[in-house]
């Protein structure tokens, strides 16, 4: 087997780290949000995503399957698994993702409806402390869900700071204090965690620990989606994306699931709003401004009590 040959060990160890971390960063973001937020089943005995993760990933896959492979010489990256688990259990990872998905509704092909009291109770029961972190923002989301002369929530002053995007996993840097900023391949990049920083700067490179790794590929191109629309008018973006219905003006995405035409957002409601790329802005800053900006970013934000 692969482990019988010593020269494979470094690469297997590297592959385990980036596959475990990347699966966590991307899959837990999407599936965690769908399972916890995309349900109307608020029975308290229904497992939350964190409870499922603990049972199926941590106890079953990690402790029952992966850890026993150590006796064959495999070096299991325990700290990577623990960091992933901590992001889910302590740092509200996929809750930040759900908030971000809902924030970005005008430029995504989905509809996320406002939450109810029953939803709030379920989240607080499953994730103690949830309301203090997210409740007020979801109340603002509800207030702003029908077009009444205001802008979409991302462009209103809720206190939320639109996030930088992680260059490696391409999920934004949502656990703000974990954000890593670095100058890599001629540009300033942001990463959601030290393991994502490691992926771009160490794992996906032409060599690993002195050994050529030409097949690893590279994280190049426009990895921050917002870069493509920096400075555009929001109405032009939704047209360009094809997110406009057959009448030529009603948006496909809506921040609610009501079907009354008078409650639908149209391009008229988003015209004149300028869209910006956090990464382009970051690269345009002076060194001093950038350091200060990142220091503030890592401190997080406070949601305003009223809009
Ligand atoms: Zn990341």
């Amino acid at each position: 087997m692969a482990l019988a040959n010593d020269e494979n060990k470094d690469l297997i160890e590297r592959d385990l780290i980036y596959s475990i971390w990347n699966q966590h960063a991307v899959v837990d973001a999407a599936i965690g949000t769908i399972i916890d937020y995309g349900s109307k089943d608020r029975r308290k005995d229904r497992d939350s995503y964190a409870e499922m993760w603990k049972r199926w990933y941590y106890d079953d896959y990690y402790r029952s399957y992966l850890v026993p492979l150590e006796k064959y010489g495999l070096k299991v990256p325990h700290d990577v698994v623990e960091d992933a688990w901590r992001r889910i259990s302590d740092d509200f990872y996929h809750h930040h993702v759900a908030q971000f998905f809902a924030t970005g509704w005008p430029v995504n092909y989905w509809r996320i409806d406002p939450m109810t009291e029953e939803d709030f109770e379920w989240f607080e029961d499953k994730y103690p402390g949830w309301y203090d972190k997210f409740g007020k923002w979801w109340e603002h989301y509800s207030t702003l869900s029908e077009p009444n002369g205001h802008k979409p929530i991302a462009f209103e002053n809720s206190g939320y700071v639109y996030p930088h995007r992680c260059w490696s996993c391409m999920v934004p840097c949502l656990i703000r204090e974990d954000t890593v900023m670095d100058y890599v391949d001629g540009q300033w990049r942001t990463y959601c965690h030290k393991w994502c920083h490691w992926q771009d700067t160490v794992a996906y490179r032409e060599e690993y620990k002195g050994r050529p790794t030409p097949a690893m590929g590279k994280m190049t191109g426009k990895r921050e989606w917002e870069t493509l629309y920096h400075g555009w008018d929001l109405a032009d973006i939704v047209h360009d994306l094809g997110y406009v219905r057959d009448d030529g003006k009603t948006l496909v995405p809506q921040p609610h699931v009501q079907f009354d035409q008078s409650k639908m957002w149209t391009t008229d409601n988003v015209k004149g709003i300028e869209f910006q790329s956090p990464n382009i802005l970051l690269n345009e800053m002076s060194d001093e401004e950038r350091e200060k900006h990142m220091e503030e970013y890592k401190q997080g934000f406070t949601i305003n009590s009223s809009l």
Side-chain angles (χ1 to χ4, degrees):
M1 68 188 278
L3 286 169
N5 193 337
D6 262 0
E7 68 175 26
N8 290 334
K9 284 186 178 164
D10 276 348
L11 296 187
I12 292 170
E13 185 188 334
R14 176 203 63 184
D15 291 356
L16 260 185
I17 296 174
Y18 81 69
S19 61
I20 288 173
W21 184 258
N22 218 30
Q23 281 160 26
H24 149 65
V26 176
V27 176
D28 289 333
I31 307 300
T33 299
I34 291 167
I35 286 187
D36 277 352
Y37 287 79
S39 176
K40 284 287 166 199
D41 181 355
R42 296 304 183 201
R43 287 171 300 158
K44 300 276 170 62
D45 59 357
R46 181 174 77 82
D47 278 353
S48 68
Y49 188 67
E51 288 166 324
M52 293 180 197
W53 204 96
K54 177 74 170 50
R55 184 186 309 161
W56 300 113
Y57 190 90
Y58 193 90
D59 292 338
D60 196 48
Y61 173 70
Y62 167 57
R63 295 183 64 189
S64 305
Y65 171 70
L66 213 50
V67 171
L69 294 177
E70 282 188 318
K71 60 174 176 279
Y72 301 105
L74 185 70
K75 194 170 165 194
V76 175
H78 303 285
D79 48 347
V80 177
V81 178
E82 294 296 342
D83 282 348
W85 173 232
R86 193 161 43 243
R87 290 217 301 183
I88 291 170
S89 63
D90 297 351
D91 294 339
F92 293 91
Y93 180 57
H94 62 287
H95 305 279
H96 287 291
V97 174
Q99 183 181 34
F100 173 72
F101 281 175
T103 291
W105 72 262
V107 289
N108 287 286
Y109 203 87
W110 57 51
R111 302 177 69 160
I112 298 174
D113 56 333
M115 292 221 228
T116 63
E117 278 302 316
E118 202 186 359
D119 296 325
F120 282 4
E121 268 175 40
W122 188 86
F123 277 103
E124 190 61 32
D125 181 66
K126 294 292 184 181
Y127 300 97
W130 179 91
Y131 183 84
D132 276 353
K133 277 183 172 292
F134 302 99
K136 187 45 79 181
W137 186 87
W138 280 103
E139 285 166 14
H140 292 333
Y141 182 83
S142 180
T143 304
L144 299 173
S145 68
E146 293 175 23
N148 288 317
H150 54 78
K151 300 172 189 167
I153 190 165
F155 305 94
E156 286 287 346
N157 188 18
S158 69
Y160 185 75
V161 175
Y162 192 85
H164 282 287
R165 197 166 287 265
C166 177
W167 193 262
S168 295
C169 71
M170 301 198 287
V171 177
C173 307
L174 298 169
I175 299 169
R176 311 280 165 135
E177 65 269 29
D178 286 350
T179 306
V180 176
M181 179 177 76
D182 195 6
Y183 191 72
V184 180
D185 295 342
Q187 71 184 133
W188 287 97
R189 295 178 179 174
T190 46
Y191 305 91
C192 72
H193 193 274
K194 68 174 183 183
W195 291 119
C196 272
H197 178 242
W198 172 89
Q199 281 195 74
D200 185 25
T201 56
V202 179
Y204 282 81
R205 292 285 147 180
E206 309 236 317
E207 63 171 53
Y208 183 76
K209 295 194 173 175
R211 181 169 164 176
T213 52
M216 271 307 274
K218 271 191 178 178
M219 294 179 176
T220 57
K222 313 280 186 217
R223 294 182 71 82
E224 194 228 30
W225 176 84
E226 291 83 352
T227 303
L228 301 168
Y229 290 111
H230 184 66
W232 281 48
D233 188 295
L234 188 53
D236 295 333
I237 297 175
V238 293
H239 273 295
D240 190 61
L241 288 167
Y243 290 177
V244 179
R245 301 178 193 223
D246 290 345
D247 64 5
K249 63 177 204 167
T250 304
L251 306 188
V252 173
Q254 299 286 331
H256 57 65
V257 286
Q258 302 183 66
F259 298 97
D260 176 350
Q261 188 60 32
S262 69
K263 293 182 174 162
M264 295 289 193
W265 290 71
T266 69
T267 49
D268 291 342
N269 304 122
V270 297
K271 206 172 279 169
I273 297 173
E274 188 188 341
F275 196 80
Q276 293 190 309
S277 147
N279 185 262
I280 289 180
L281 296 176
L282 188 75
N283 276 276
E284 285 173 354
M285 291 175 192
S286 69
D287 289 349
E288 200 180 321
E289 287 167 339
R290 192 179 305 108
E291 284 304 320
K292 186 168 175 286
H293 168 80
M294 191 43 61
E295 200 178 301
E296 285 170 9
Y297 184 81
K298 290 174 77 162
Q299 281 167 14
F301 54 83
T302 306
I303 295 300
N304 299 331
S305 55
S306 60
L307 285 164

